[in-house]
Amino acid sequence: MEFKQVECFVAVARENSFSKAADVLFLSQPAITSNIQKLERELGMVLFDRNKNITLTKGGVKFFPYAVEILNIRDKAEIAISQHKNNIEGVLEICASTIPEQYLLPHIIKAFKEVYPQVHFSIRHKDSKEVIEGILSGMTNFGFIGAKYSHEGIKYIDFFQDKLVLITSPEKTFATDPISIQSLIGEEIVLREEGSGTRQLIENALKEKKLNLNIFRSQTINYSMEAIKKMVALNVGISFASDVSVKCEVASGRLKQYEVEDLNLNRAFSLVYCNNRYLSPAEEKFKEFVAKWKWDNIDI
């Protein structure tokens, strides 16, 4: 078994495509195919279903986390014997939910690249639940999310304290700020999809008050936070959003913001990773970097 074969396997599994894997690894597609075929012969099993969509077989799913660890251990060994111990390089693949991806992660990546310019990033958007599923399956090692799920081996590093606020169109007015949850009964609301950290926080906060989303007259579901803000600005309904995500719109008058006094809408955004998995040297450095991160003097 050669490292190049394992690299090709991991790339195809992550991209669900032989051609995209070839682009990522700067190889020809025939070279990717040849390496996969050699690996399959050596393992004595087919690793991919080659139908219209390229997907892992059951054997491929079993082999995937070991393949990732093989590559990470190789990287660790190369760094350990390198005379240039500070030469941290490689590609970090990160999955992030909406708010960290759009408003927080760019600042961290900019600062990290100033220290380690040879590290490159591949950022994928997923909701919080999908990020956890990707880490548990071994498809990725890192994620940034706004909700926590209890799973063995999953660890969290909190790096930003957040709160949800109620947002409305400029036309809509509530008599007080903060307002009571009772003031929202019968309102129309625009919500994120199930699986998002924002949606989970709202549902949990209502549950603490023995309430649920049925207090709202109607619900519109949208996967895009930017689209939700636009719909609220057009008075399609009210919504809840991270304070950090609506600063510009509130300052410009395109949205109004209120706090809801009887709902606990505070949360932490976290870096999530699998504690019992080998990480590459670049991943270890990035984890340490986030753990020490401070937001002092940073305009989000």
Side-chain angles (χ1 to χ4, degrees):
M1 185 185 305
E2 298 177 3
F3 287 125
K4 184 59 67 177
Q5 295 169 1
V6 179
E7 283 180 340
C8 291
F9 167 73
V10 170
V12 173
R14 284 175 168 162
E15 299 297 333
N16 299 117
S17 166
F18 281 67
S19 60
K20 290 181 180 178
D23 292 338
V24 169
L25 296 178
F26 300 102
L27 295 172
S28 67
Q29 187 168 336
I32 295 288
T33 301
S34 176
N35 277 294
I36 295 297
Q37 289 173 343
K38 289 177 183 177
L39 182 60
E40 288 177 328
R41 285 197 296 269
E42 186 168 343
L43 294 175
M45 70 174 72
V46 176
L47 297 171
F48 293 100
D49 286 325
R50 295 165 173 83
N51 297 317
K52 184 177 180 181
N53 298 315
I54 302 299
T55 58
L56 287 169
T57 62
K58 289 184 178 179
V61 171
K62 286 284 187 182
F63 180 63
F64 183 85
Y66 295 101
V68 173
E69 289 200 18
I70 287 170
L71 296 179
N72 286 343
I73 293 171
R74 177 203 61 182
D75 291 345
K76 280 179 174 286
E78 289 176 349
I79 291 295
I81 63 175
S82 172
Q83 294 180 351
H84 306 286
K85 292 185 178 179
N86 292 324
N87 188 25
I88 302 297
E89 59 186 11
V91 178
L92 293 188
E93 298 197 8
I94 295 173
C95 293
S97 61
T98 302
I99 303 305
E101 177 194 25
Q102 294 183 3
Y103 301 97
L104 306 175
L105 191 51
H107 296 281
I108 296 175
I109 289 176
K110 177 180 183 295
F112 187 80
K113 285 184 66 66
E114 289 173 353
V115 181
Y116 303 105
Q118 297 305 311
V119 175
H120 307 287
F121 288 83
S122 174
I123 313 299
R124 297 171 185 263
H125 173 78
K126 295 183 181 294
D127 66 34
S128 294
K129 187 176 181 181
E130 290 171 335
V131 171
I132 294 294
E133 290 171 350
I135 291 174
L136 290 172
S137 69
M139 294 301 288
T140 186
N141 286 332
F142 279 141
F144 284 85
I145 60 177
K148 291 181 178 177
Y149 301 83
S150 296
H151 290 283
E152 185 177 354
I154 291 289
K155 298 294 183 182
Y156 297 89
I157 297 174
D158 293 345
F159 71 96
F160 186 84
Q161 296 301 313
D162 179 50
K163 67 176 179 180
L164 296 186
V165 294
L166 179 76
I167 55 173
T168 73
S169 75
E171 322 169 11
K172 191 157 188 69
T173 307
F174 287 100
T176 61
D177 183 16
I179 65 175
S180 167
I181 186 61
Q182 299 299 319
S183 305
L184 304 181
I185 294 176
E187 292 285 346
E188 297 183 61
I189 190 168
V190 186
L191 289 167
R192 285 290 306 278
E193 76 285 357
E194 290 186 16
S196 80
T198 298
R199 171 73 171 264
Q200 180 181 315
L201 181 56
I202 295 167
E203 290 179 336
N204 288 344
L206 289 171
K207 188 176 180 180
E208 288 179 2
K209 300 297 180 180
K210 296 182 170 51
L211 300 171
N212 57 46
L213 294 174
N214 289 334
I215 68 170
F216 300 103
R217 183 170 78 239
S218 70
Q219 302 171 25
T220 301
I221 310 300
N222 199 307
Y223 284 70
S224 165
M225 193 63 236
E226 292 304 309
I228 287 175
K229 289 191 288 186
K230 183 69 173 178
M231 294 174 76
V232 171
L234 294 172
N235 206 24
V236 174
I238 62 173
S239 189
F240 290 90
S242 288
D243 176 54
V244 69
S245 72
V246 295
K247 285 184 176 181
C248 292
E249 290 85 355
V250 171
S252 67
R254 296 195 298 273
L255 291 174
K256 283 185 178 180
Q257 147 182 343
Y258 298 87
E259 291 191 25
V260 183
E261 61 185 355
D262 36 8
L263 289 183
N264 178 13
L265 297 174
N266 297 312
R267 64 175 171 181
F269 284 114
S270 311
L271 169 68
V272 57
Y273 63 99
C274 189
N275 195 42
N276 55 12
R277 185 179 302 156
Y278 284 106
L279 298 177
S280 71
E283 288 172 330
E284 288 284 6
K285 285 292 184 184
F286 186 69
K287 185 181 75 172
E288 295 170 7
F289 192 85
V290 173
K292 297 176 181 177
W293 180 259
K294 304 293 182 185
W295 290 100
D296 303 342
N297 302 318
I298 295 178
D299 184 15
I300 302 174

